[in-house]
Amino acid sequence: MTINWYPGHMVRARRDIEESLKLVDIVLMLVDARAPLSCRNPDLERMARRKKMVMILNKNDLADPSATSSFLKHLRQEGFMAVAMNSLKGQGRREVLDAVHGAYEEHRQNMLRRGRRIRPARIMVAGVPNVGKSTFLNSLAGQKIARTGARPGVTRGKQWIRVREDMELLDTPGLLWPKIETEEQGLKLALLNIIGENAYEDYEVALYLVRVLREQAPQLFMEYYKLAEIAGDDQRLLADISLKRGHLIKGGQPDPEKTARQMISDYRAGNLGRITLDQL
Ligand SMILES: Nc1nc2c(ncn2[C@@H]2O[C@H](COP(=O)(O)OP(=O)(O)O)[C@@H](O)[C@H]2O)c(=O)[nH]1
Ligand SMILES: [Mg+2]
């Protein structure tokens, strides 16, 4: 599966973000903690290269905790500030605020030295679609301000939000880049609901998920879908699950499409455990 398309609204979003970047001091770059590397948008990082950047590994509640620690370490070694966050619960909020203060300190000292009035830090919240930017922003602000949604692409237009006395945040629409490099990366982004559902086949994504579950969580996989054993190829296993679940088409044949949708939504909801897709 090669994801290779760039719809008109992305072109506009990219232009808006490029314009807004001129106004900001700090970029909070959100990635999904289940695939912190695959979610990195090289195009966006290039645009923001002159800004202070903090990597936020969001949806940390759904990721494997030990993998998250490794990714944080890895990103810090690369020179980024990096923080794990659960925006639904506000876990990580304190660390994010500390990182923002750290990132702004040099600028603040400069303003002080020149006798300038200290203005609030201007911060852009950026990242791929559906990674939780609006939820994160609401969580930082401690109230519901930005619009959020379960489908990619809910945020449009510009919204500055005064989060506290000393911070103004800008929510941005999710941005993808024109060419997702590898098939595997495309499958991960599809499974994480980052690319629009028109761009992939559920069945293909579910087969990828079966592969991941066999490798990373065979026990939980068997228990959750009540499989007696994990045998045969991935297609066969998916058909077994269809039968177990009673996902059938007329004539009693398995309905793999229905099972594929079910498995994808199970993964997204965290029903299959905390499984990280990227590996270091
Ligand atoms: N489990 C979990 N879900 C989250 C988290 N942050 C956001 N979400 C969910 O992810 C979906 C997309 O969130 P949204 O803020 O609209 O993403 P945006 O498109 O990046 O602005 C929504 O269903 C949120 O409830 C998180 O930290 N943990
Ligand atoms: Mg949004």
Side-chain angles (χ1 to χ4, degrees):
M1 183 176 72
T2 328
I3 306 291
N4 188 7
W5 95 123
Y6 210 58
H9 73 266
M10 285 272 169
V11 177
R12 282 191 298 280
R14 187 184 186 281
R15 208 171 41 216
D16 282 353
I17 288 172
E18 204 164 23
E19 277 303 305
S20 304
L21 269 169
K22 295 175 187 160
L23 308 172
V24 310
D25 307 299
I26 300 164
V27 176
L28 300 182
M29 197 67 90
L30 264 69
V31 292
D32 190 307
R34 291 165 294 177
L37 304 181
S38 296
C39 289
R40 285 179 64 175
N41 179 340
D43 183 37
L44 191 53
E45 286 186 24
R46 205 174 312 115
M47 281 196 274
R49 68 190 175 280
R50 294 206 182 80
K51 303 293 169 180
K52 301 265 186 192
M53 207 173 344
V54 183
M55 290 283 184
I56 312 285
L57 278 61
N58 195 42
K59 307 198 185 186
N60 183 36
D61 52 306
L62 298 174
D64 175 355
S66 72
T68 299
S69 318
S70 307
F71 280 116
L72 287 173
K73 206 164 133 203
H74 173 84
L75 287 164
R76 286 170 189 153
Q77 275 165 356
E78 231 190 276
F80 290 104
M81 283 174 276
V83 179
M85 178 85 192
N86 169 358
S87 295
L88 292 184
K89 293 244 168 86
Q91 281 158 358
R93 188 174 177 275
R94 187 69 255 164
E95 289 89 333
V96 171
L97 294 176
D98 287 347
V100 167
H101 284 134
Y104 197 50
E105 189 50 26
E106 195 185 317
H107 197 78
R108 214 179 68 86
Q109 291 298 338
N110 273 335
M111 288 188 288
L112 273 178
R113 226 184 345 262
R114 294 189 200 149
R116 298 246 182 93
R117 193 178 62 85
I118 307 287
R119 60 161 178 76
R122 296 197 195 107
I123 303 158
M124 175 186 281
V125 179
V128 292
N130 221 21
V131 69
K133 297 176 292 300
S134 301
T135 310
F136 168 79
L137 201 148
N138 288 328
S139 164
L140 270 201
Q143 48 188 304
K144 200 170 169 64
I145 307 170
R147 279 177 300 162
T148 62
R151 284 186 313 135
V154 169
T155 308
R156 302 259 151 79
K158 205 180 285 193
Q159 316 183 34
W160 278 103
I161 288 149
R162 175 70 71 101
V163 164
R164 306 146 37 100
E165 303 261 288
D166 54 352
M167 291 182 196
E168 285 172 356
L169 272 85
L170 182 65
D171 197 9
T172 64
L175 201 62
L176 286 165
W177 56 107
K179 188 158 172 29
I180 307 294
E181 282 307 322
T182 65
E183 164 153 354
E184 176 121 342
Q185 189 174 18
L187 291 166
K188 289 174 183 176
L189 297 181
L191 184 55
L192 296 174
N193 204 11
I194 286 166
I195 51 181
E197 57 194 3
N198 298 328
Y200 59 87
E201 297 292 335
D202 290 329
Y203 186 68
E204 246 187 293
V205 174
L207 282 182
Y208 164 71
L209 176 58
V210 167
R211 179 150 61 86
V212 169
L213 292 171
R214 289 179 89 143
E215 284 166 13
Q216 292 193 44
Q219 208 55 41
L220 226 143
F221 182 27
M222 277 172 59
E223 282 162 23
Y224 192 82
Y225 293 112
K226 303 191 165 50
L227 299 166
E229 55 171 357
I230 296 188
D233 60 16
D234 298 341
Q235 282 91 340
R236 182 67 246 160
L237 262 177
L238 210 143
D240 285 349
I241 297 169
S242 301
L243 295 174
K244 275 270 182 310
R245 285 281 163 126
H247 296 161
L248 306 173
I249 49 176
K250 273 191 210 129
Q253 293 297 310
D255 181 354
E257 280 299 322
K258 182 163 183 190
T259 310
R261 286 193 298 276
Q262 178 66 52
M263 289 189 70
I264 291 170
S265 85
D266 282 337
Y267 175 79
R268 288 177 181 166
N271 297 343
L272 302 169
R274 300 174 69 169
I275 297 169
T276 296
L277 303 176
D278 275 346
Q279 266 152 0
L280 271 176

